[in-house]
């Protein structure tokens, strides 16, 4: 048993080393990613659940490494968060997302919302509101068209502080969404205090909504709760017509997912949206 224990330990240590090495590797490459133009944004449209009219897009980051190829944000965003590189990347994402929407509007698109993901580390920075103001000023995008997606877990890290920041952003005219709702634990008392516009039901509750009664209860409960607080609900990861129908029939306001569209390049997103709604 002792030998097995030691072996397990060695395996564990080897895994740890591998994970650490990968992290360092990503960190080293990530430091150059912006300067070397390896980052890009793609855009996934969002729709009204009842009419399927587009309501906006979510900007999602992509990292095209010259030799490693496409690296998923699920792999590099956590490293960017831990090392603080997310601050620079986040600023880049904000400015470029705002610029794209402004550019599409100038090219004839009906003005609509652009949603940008914000990490916990960005939100904690004293100058975050100035960064947002800078992106709006630098792009010429009206504040009302920008929505910041903030995860449930990052606001719950320090709810008192989060309320202050979110209130400042709200006063600037920016909208706010709570992302990945249901995966962390929110105090309902706090939810009521946050000046938010949208709750996003996490994809993990939508995936099996047709068959898993617990997921269904959480999704429908979230919709009811959100509506009672005056918030709109967006369900993410909608892949099937049955999922859409269940969500729509239960009052879900907006949807996003592969059923409608995968994340698209800027040109493809503009063409897609322009074909479906003209200004
Ligand atoms: P998220 O904010 O929850 O974004 C939704 C993710 O679900 C995206 O993955 C999107 O491509 C994917 N998705 C959308 N519809 C469907 C569907 O119908 N089925 C399935 N299976 N997946 C769907 P992606 O682009 O790989 O991003 C993963 C996560 O990385 C995001 O999750 C977000 O947490 C983070 N992320 C992406 N871009 C940024 C960014 O610019 N800044 C920060 N801080 N985080 C980002
Ligand atoms: Ca998001
Ligand atoms: Ca608002
Ligand atoms: Ca999610």
């Amino acid at each position: 048993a002792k030998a097995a224990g030691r072996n397990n330990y060695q395996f564990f240590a080897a895994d740890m080393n591998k994970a650490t090495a990968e992290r360092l590797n990503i960190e080293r490459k990530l430091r150059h990613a912006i300067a070397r133009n390896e980052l890009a944004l793609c855009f996934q449209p969002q729709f009204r659940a009842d009419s399927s009219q587009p309501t906006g897009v979510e900007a999602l980051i992509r990292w095209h490494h010259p030799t490693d190829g496409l690296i998923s944000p699920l792999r590099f965003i956590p490293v960017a968060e831990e090392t603080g590189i997310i601050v620079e990347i986040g600023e880049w994402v904000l400015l470029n997302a705002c610029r794209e929407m402004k550019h599409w509007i100038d090219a004839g698109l009906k003005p609509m919302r652009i949603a940008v993901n914000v990490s916990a580390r960005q939100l904690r920075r004293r100058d975050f509101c100035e960064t947002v103001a800078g992106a709006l000023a630098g792009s010429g995008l009206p504040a009302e068209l920008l929505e910041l997606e903030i995860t449930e877990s990052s606001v719950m890290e320090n709810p008192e502080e989060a309320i202050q920041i979110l209130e400042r952003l709200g006063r600037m005219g920016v909208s706010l969404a709570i992302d990945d709702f249901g995966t962390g634990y929110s105090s309902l008392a706090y939810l009521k205090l946050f000046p938010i516009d949208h709750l996003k039901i996490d994809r993990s509750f939508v995936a099996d909504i047709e068959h898993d009664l617990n997921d269904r209860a959480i999704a429908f409960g979230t919709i009811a709760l959100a509506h009672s607080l005056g918030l709109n609900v967006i369900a993410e990861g909608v892949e099937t017509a049955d999922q859409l129908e269940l969500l729509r029939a239960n009052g879900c306001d907006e949807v996003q997912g592969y059923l409608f569209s995968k994340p698209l390049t800027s040109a493809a997103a503009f063409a897609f949206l322009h074909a479906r709604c003209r200004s």
Side-chain angles (χ1 to χ4, degrees):
K2 229 177 189 169
R6 193 173 307 131
N7 273 337
N8 280 342
Y9 172 74
Q10 280 168 355
F11 276 122
F12 179 66
D15 282 350
M16 286 278 288
N17 286 336
K18 214 177 136 196
T20 308
E22 198 200 57
R23 280 198 121 62
L24 283 171
N25 194 20
I26 288 182
E27 180 185 342
R28 190 171 45 77
K29 292 172 179 166
L30 200 52
R31 293 203 181 274
H32 308 288
I34 295 182
R36 292 182 183 160
N37 247 330
E38 294 168 5
L39 299 182
L41 291 177
C42 62
F43 304 88
Q44 188 176 35
Q46 302 171 326
F47 304 84
R48 286 193 56 91
D50 53 7
S51 65
S52 298
Q53 268 296 303
T55 51
V57 291
E58 177 178 2
L60 293 159
I61 196 165
R62 294 292 173 262
W63 180 15
H64 298 274
H65 188 266
T67 53
D68 299 354
L70 190 64
I71 303 173
S72 166
L74 296 173
R75 275 178 69 205
F76 73 83
I77 291 289
V79 180
E81 275 246 325
E82 275 169 37
T83 54
I85 307 174
I86 193 69
V87 172
E88 195 188 346
I89 291 180
E91 210 169 318
W92 180 91
V93 169
L94 259 171
L95 178 62
N96 284 283
C98 293
R99 277 188 179 155
E100 285 303 333
M101 180 52 78
K102 178 65 167 64
H103 173 71
W104 297 342
I105 294 168
D106 290 345
L109 185 71
K110 181 186 120 195
M112 58 175 78
R113 182 176 72 221
I114 174 111
V116 174
N117 292 286
V118 172
S119 79
R121 181 103 175 214
Q122 284 174 274
L123 197 65
R124 280 202 307 267
R125 283 185 61 99
R126 298 234 167 280
D127 59 357
F128 181 64
C129 294
E130 283 74 35
T131 300
V132 173
L136 292 169
S139 63
L141 186 81
E144 292 63 39
L145 298 182
L146 177 63
E147 177 154 284
L148 302 176
E149 294 195 359
I150 295 158
T151 64
E152 182 183 27
S153 51
S154 74
V155 289
M156 292 312 293
E157 262 177 26
N158 188 342
E160 311 289 347
E161 196 182 71
I163 289 171
Q164 307 282 315
I165 301 167
L166 299 186
E167 276 180 347
R168 265 187 80 191
L169 292 166
R171 281 196 298 271
M172 287 166 56
V174 169
S175 317
L176 300 162
I178 298 291
D179 206 358
D180 295 348
F181 188 77
T183 61
Y185 50 96
S186 296
S187 150
L188 301 184
Y190 277 121
L191 199 57
K192 202 178 70 180
L193 297 176
F194 290 137
I196 50 181
D197 303 272
H198 281 109
L199 274 193
K200 291 191 84 174
I201 300 180
D202 192 64
R203 177 153 64 85
S204 60
F205 301 109
V206 174
D208 215 13
I209 199 170
E210 293 137 284
H211 310 109
D212 187 315
L213 295 183
N214 292 324
D215 288 351
R216 192 182 291 197
I218 291 167
F220 295 172
T222 300
I223 295 169
L225 165 73
H227 286 170
S228 74
L229 295 173
L231 310 176
N232 276 5
V233 182
I234 305 180
E236 60 177 29
V238 178
E239 295 184 354
T240 72
D242 286 345
Q243 289 167 352
L244 171 64
E245 184 45 32
L246 277 169
L247 288 161
R248 197 201 53 72
N250 283 277
C252 184
D253 304 284
E254 296 178 41
V255 285
Q256 174 181 356
Y258 295 169
L259 176 65
F260 297 90
S261 171
K262 293 208 164 181
L264 304 168
T265 62
S266 172
F270 174 76
F272 181 101
L273 296 168
H274 196 253
R276 278 165 186 76
C277 45
R278 279 154 212 278
S279 57

